[in-house]
Amino acid sequence: MVTTHVNPDCDALGSALGMAYLIEARGKKARIINTDPTPSRFDFVDPDSRIEVYSDTVFPAEDEAVVVVDVGDLRRIGKLGEFFLEHPRPFACVDHHKSNTGFAQVNILQPEACATGLILARLAKEWNISIDPKLASALYIAMYTDTGGFRFPNTDAETLRVASELIEAGADPSYLATEFSDNMPLGRVRLFGEILENFKLEAEGKIIYVTLTLDQLEKHGCDRSDVEGFVEYIRGIEGVELAILFRQADQQNTKLSFRSGDYVDCSLLAGKFHGGGHYHAAGATVFASVEETVRQVLPEAIRVVETGAQT
Ligand SMILES: [Mn+2]
């Protein structure tokens, strides 16, 4: 049984599918159960609708081995993680998050890999598994999106070499990139309009931040998956080093997303609020209202940006 993190992105989904294909290529059965449903705009990643959603009737059987992909912390699996706390069993974990806690019994952790999808491509080679178009597409979209379309600093020669091999194996780069960028729901665009209107600047424009409430999401018929990509976009504004999104997760919790341009280590910053992630992209959840979270986090962010001190 393969699973990945809540609010799955394309690396999570592509890697879960990729892991299932690799397991099957080695002659075993595999299935995928996630805590959260796949956002409809990512349906193209799972053309055979293989991914199931955890519920009272869909849950891991006792004799199923568990492989967790693209997850650095058991809490990131959400309700399924709680299920595993009640029904303990050994885990294998394939991941590239620098902040991975090593929670699994068997770990394949390669933090220098641009995406978990790349680690799976390496595994396919090591295991002499020939990559068919479905596996190629799953791993390609994982790498394409976790590198911001081969733009982020995690894009290296191996990334593009493996991407090229995946194209030779049947991944269609134009189709996958277009599916990822197109079909933007109108509500998402309107919500983005609000973000562009309401962001605030600190530290002489080196920090940009914006808050988002559940009411705002609801007003535009959006869910949290519709927010993806916004914080990267505003990070790209001239002079911005650090972008922070404060999103109300529920009545008690605020989700933080950090994105940095150059010298701020987001995973260390997120770690101060019990979160984690990568150097240039990380997140955390704070048990407080949005306003209170801004009050807690902003001074620390300003200090880090102005002094360059990471700890
Ligand atoms: Mn990833």
Side-chain angles (χ1 to χ4, degrees):
M1 197 223 83
V2 181
T3 192
T4 187
H5 58 77
V6 292
N7 197 15
D9 57 15
C10 287
D11 187 25
L13 298 168
S15 295
L17 284 159
M19 190 74 241
Y21 291 133
L22 291 185
I23 292 166
E24 285 163 351
R26 302 200 62 174
K28 311 277 184 205
K29 283 192 212 153
R31 65 169 175 161
I32 304 159
I33 303 177
N34 287 344
T35 293
D36 285 345
T38 301
S40 57
R41 60 194 189 93
F42 296 156
D43 279 344
F44 73 96
V45 179
D46 180 19
D48 299 331
S49 303
R50 288 203 51 175
I51 299 175
E52 299 175 81
V53 180
Y54 172 62
S55 71
D56 291 346
T57 50
V58 179
F59 53 86
E62 243 171 76
D63 58 351
E64 278 174 331
V66 180
V67 185
V68 193
V69 296
D70 201 42
V71 168
D73 184 320
L74 192 58
R75 284 173 302 181
R76 287 279 289 149
I77 320 177
K79 290 206 178 77
L80 203 47
E82 289 163 26
F83 175 91
F84 288 129
L85 289 177
E86 281 165 38
H87 306 85
R89 67 193 65 192
F91 281 95
C93 178
V94 181
D95 185 36
H96 71 132
H97 289 91
K98 200 171 116 183
S99 53
N100 192 297
T101 55
F103 62 90
Q105 282 67 43
V106 177
N107 288 291
I108 301 177
L109 307 179
Q110 299 178 353
E112 88 301 341
C114 64
T116 300
L118 175 61
I119 306 175
L120 295 177
R122 290 172 179 167
L123 276 180
K125 277 187 199 175
E126 204 173 306
W127 292 343
N128 279 319
I129 291 168
S130 74
I131 297 184
D132 71 5
K134 276 183 182 168
L135 176 55
S137 303
L139 300 183
Y140 183 92
I141 195 65
M143 290 171 50
Y144 177 80
T145 53
D146 255 26
T147 56
F150 306 125
R151 284 191 304 120
F152 296 161
N154 58 0
T155 309
D156 58 13
E158 187 193 7
T159 304
L160 293 178
R161 200 156 46 233
V162 170
S164 154
E165 288 163 8
L166 293 174
I167 292 168
E168 277 166 352
D172 181 339
S174 173
Y175 167 78
L176 292 169
T178 305
E179 284 294 313
F180 179 70
S181 308
D182 284 10
N183 307 315
M184 197 153 33
L186 190 58
R188 173 171 149 87
V189 179
R190 295 224 156 99
L191 185 69
F192 193 33
E194 281 196 22
I195 285 183
L196 293 178
E197 204 146 305
N198 296 325
F199 66 74
K200 296 194 175 69
L201 297 168
E202 282 287 346
E204 279 121 43
K206 292 198 197 73
I207 295 177
I208 189 166
Y209 73 96
V210 70
T211 61
L212 209 49
T213 62
L214 287 172
D215 284 347
Q216 281 173 286
L217 289 180
E218 202 184 327
K219 183 168 84 186
H220 298 294
C222 291
D223 63 35
R224 60 190 179 175
S225 76
D226 291 312
V227 179
E228 205 161 288
F230 291 169
V231 66
E232 283 85 358
Y233 189 90
I234 59 173
R235 216 290 305 146
I237 294 171
E238 187 175 24
V240 170
E241 165 61 19
L242 178 66
I244 315 171
L245 173 70
F246 298 85
R247 180 175 61 77
Q248 183 185 17
D250 54 42
Q251 294 314 321
Q252 272 123 23
N253 292 286
T254 300
K255 174 83 176 61
L256 291 168
S257 301
F258 297 101
R259 297 292 183 277
S260 69
D262 178 25
Y263 61 88
V264 171
D265 186 335
C266 291
S267 77
L268 288 178
L269 191 52
K272 288 178 185 159
F273 304 97
H274 309 293
H278 308 288
Y279 194 97
H280 291 284
T285 303
V286 175
F287 183 73
S289 68
V290 171
E291 298 74 35
E292 177 54 28
T293 306
V294 172
R295 271 195 293 276
Q296 286 179 24
V297 172
L298 210 52
E300 184 58 20
I302 292 170
R303 191 187 69 80
V304 168
V305 165
E306 285 185 340
T307 65
Q310 305 284 8
T311 51

